Amino acid sequence: MKEKSFKTIINQGLAGLFHICAHELKNVFKDQGVLIFFILVPLLYPLLYAFIYTDEVVREVPAAVVDHSKSSISRKYLRLIDATPDVHIQSYCADMEEAKELVKEGRVYGIIYIPEDFSKELAAGKQAHVSLFCDMSGMLYYKALLMSATNASLEINRQIKIVRLGNTTERQDEISTAPITYEPVSLFNPQDGFASFLIPAVLILIIQQTLLLGIGMAAGTAREKNRYADLIPANRHYQGTLRIVLGKSLAYLLIYAIISAYILCAVPKMFSLVQIAQAGTLLAFVLPYLLACIFFSMTCSIFIHHRESCMMIYVFTSLPLLFISGISWPGASIPAFWKVFSWIFPSTFGINGFVRINNMGATLWDVQTEYHALWLQAGIYFVTTCLVYRYQILLSHRHAIDKLKQLKQKRLLFKKTEKA
């Protein structure tokens, strides 16, 4: 008898779980708002970002020049800058005010200022200074201008050294100016492309943020449709905490298993981005990340009482989360508080682990810190989801009991009035 009752409980639990899963999938595809965040945004956002940065690097950034030196060495320096593939000297201005006007009008993105004493300082054997002003609305413009100016300065410095050495052989000049020859190559991103650097991190973040928004909107919809603004309906299928949490999370996992395959595999393939991950390693890493994101989103959805609230709460967090992950800003420069704060979010470990697996060919052993952290987050957020959903179940039962009591009181009053 005990065996039969146990089997009955298991069968009922599984039946309830799959019923909740099917019902959640049905709600997702019926709700246009949730469908946008679960399907449309993950399909289009990666393409949008990849299209924007598909050129990888910025070439021929227009710049203005203010040359108060008007010497042969200053002109030579400017020719070296203009000869680089990154910068194009578009205008020669009489003063800084004229150059600033060009920046304001958007005709140039930077100003190269050479002071009057530039050639005199060099002739006297002193250090000369060149000022570089840049429109910081585009970091790639700043990088192009800075690298071009730096390389031109190094070349001028090398030529000055050769002149001062006097009558020497070509080999002696080479040894004295460059005792050790080297060729700088960026590891895992030899073309210094912005897309190869940023897009993998953005793809991982899109998964977390769309889950937060979609699950939050679904929770807001459930509360708006409920008479008592409860997250869990008073229904016989919605009785056990585990079956509710597992049923809902299974529905989201089924959707995002397909979405993640598209975002992490198809999109990089379309735009020829770096993709050297082993399929088994990538699958093993993405599973705990998806679970952590789903349970984290379900826990956070407890705070959403209206459909629109999730957009106001979560959308603005995307950029800060990208910065504190340590990808777009050096991890060593992030303050300890923000570094610890970033551990709350699955995206921190997901971004760092995925970039190392996808772009650097790392194995699970190489990213074991991130891998174990994601499983830990999945476990912790699963427990928190169960706790908040258990509270919601009890709240829903309390409201159902109150409703029954009110109905009984109304019936009693109705009977009394009939007798009277």
Side-chain angles (χ1 to χ4, degrees), residues 197-211:
F197 153 70
L198 186 66
I199 295 301
V202 171
L203 295 179
I204 282 287
L205 189 61
I206 285 172
I207 292 174
Q208 176 186 279
Q209 296 303 91
T210 51
L211 273 167

Side-chain angles (χ1 to χ4, degrees), residues 149-211:
T150 302
N151 290 334
S153 299
L154 292 172
E155 179 60 24
I156 288 288
N157 185 53
R158 188 183 71 83
Q159 292 175 9
I160 290 170
K161 279 184 180 180
I162 291 172
V163 170
R164 287 178 181 168
L165 286 172
N167 296 323
T168 55
T169 63
E170 195 173 316
R171 179 58 181 164
Q172 286 174 324
D173 294 340
E174 185 182 339
I175 292 170
S176 59
T177 56
I180 300 173
T181 58
Y182 70 95
E183 183 180 352
V185 178
S186 301
L187 291 174
F188 310 110
N189 189 7
Q191 75 275 20
D192 285 332
F194 198 69
S196 299
F197 153 70
L198 186 66
I199 295 301
V202 171
L203 295 179
I204 282 287
L205 189 61
I206 285 172
I207 292 174
Q208 176 186 279
Q209 296 303 91
T210 51
L211 273 167

Side-chain angles (χ1 to χ4, degrees), residues 372-391:
H372 293 155
L374 287 173
W375 276 118
L376 183 63
Q377 283 184 328
I380 291 170
Y381 289 131
F382 172 72
V383 172
T384 57
T385 304
C386 288
L387 291 173
V388 297
Y389 269 68
R390 181 62 186 166
Y391 173 75

Side-chain angles (χ1 to χ4, degrees), residues 4-20 236-240 243-244:
K4 284 184 179 179
S5 61
F6 180 74
K7 283 182 178 180
T8 304
I9 292 170
I10 294 294
N11 290 334
Q12 287 177 349
L14 289 173
L17 187 152
F18 289 119
H19 173 84
I20 292 168
R236 66 185 181 88
H237 293 289
Y238 288 81
Q239 297 299 319
R243 74 174 69 173
I244 295 173

Side-chain angles (χ1 to χ4, degrees), residues 21-34:
C21 176
H23 189 259
E24 195 66 24
L25 285 170
K26 184 179 177 182
N27 287 340
V28 166
F29 289 99
K30 280 175 62 179
D31 192 323
Q32 291 183 354
V34 177

Side-chain angles (χ1 to χ4, degrees), residues 6-249:
F6 180 74
K7 283 182 178 180
T8 304
I9 292 170
I10 294 294
N11 290 334
Q12 287 177 349
L14 289 173
L17 187 152
F18 289 119
H19 173 84
I20 292 168
C21 176
H23 189 259
E24 195 66 24
L25 285 170
K26 184 179 177 182
N27 287 340
V28 166
F29 289 99
K30 280 175 62 179
D31 192 323
Q32 291 183 354
V34 177
L35 203 60
I36 287 172
F37 287 122
F38 274 179
I39 307 296
L40 195 62
V41 171
L43 287 177
L44 297 183
Y45 253 49
L47 296 178
L48 176 64
Y49 275 102
F51 270 124
I52 291 171
Y53 301 114
T54 189
D55 290 334
E56 292 275 9
V57 292
V58 171
R59 299 295 190 196
E60 297 294 327
V61 176
V65 168
V66 180
D67 183 8
H68 286 321
S69 176
K70 295 182 174 65
S71 59
S72 60
I73 190 72
S74 68
R75 288 192 291 272
K76 189 175 185 179
Y77 174 71
L78 292 171
R79 282 197 301 272
L80 286 171
I81 291 178
D82 200 21
T84 63
D86 298 330
V87 175
H88 166 62
I89 295 177
Q90 182 169 299
S91 303
Y92 288 83
C93 303
D95 52 31
M96 282 296 293
E97 292 303 318
E98 184 183 346
K100 285 179 183 177
E101 284 299 318
L102 293 177
V103 174
K104 286 180 183 177
E105 292 170 8
R107 292 168 60 186
V108 299
Y109 293 101
I111 303 168
I112 302 165
Y113 175 79
I114 301 178
E116 191 175 350
D117 60 352
F118 179 74
S119 61
K120 293 178 184 177
E121 293 291 326
L122 290 176
K126 297 179 182 178
Q127 186 179 34
H129 294 86
V130 174
S131 299
L132 182 67
F133 303 89
C134 186
D135 180 1
M136 293 303 290
S137 62
M139 292 295 290
L140 293 183
Y141 299 143
Y142 169 72
K143 178 189 172 186
L145 287 161
L146 180 63
M147 293 301 293
S148 296
T150 302
N151 290 334
S153 299
L154 292 172
E155 179 60 24
I156 288 288
N157 185 53
R158 188 183 71 83
Q159 292 175 9
I160 290 170
K161 279 184 180 180
I162 291 172
V163 170
R164 287 178 181 168
L165 286 172
N167 296 323
T168 55
T169 63
E170 195 173 316
R171 179 58 181 164
Q172 286 174 324
D173 294 340
E174 185 182 339
I175 292 170
S176 59
T177 56
I180 300 173
T181 58
Y182 70 95
E183 183 180 352
V185 178
S186 301
L187 291 174
F188 310 110
N189 189 7
Q191 75 275 20
D192 285 332
F194 198 69
S196 299
F197 153 70
L198 186 66
I199 295 301
V202 171
L203 295 179
I204 282 287
L205 189 61
I206 285 172
I207 292 174
Q208 176 186 279
Q209 296 303 91
T210 51
L211 273 167
L212 269 172
L213 290 164
I215 293 175
M217 183 168 281
T221 304
R223 287 182 181 277
E224 287 181 359
K225 288 182 176 179
N226 193 288
R227 180 181 176 183
Y228 299 101
D230 290 333
L231 183 61
I232 308 298
N235 188 304
R236 66 185 181 88
H237 293 289
Y238 288 81
Q239 297 299 319
T241 305
L242 278 178
R243 74 174 69 173
I244 295 173
V245 172
L246 292 177
K248 283 176 171 285
S249 60

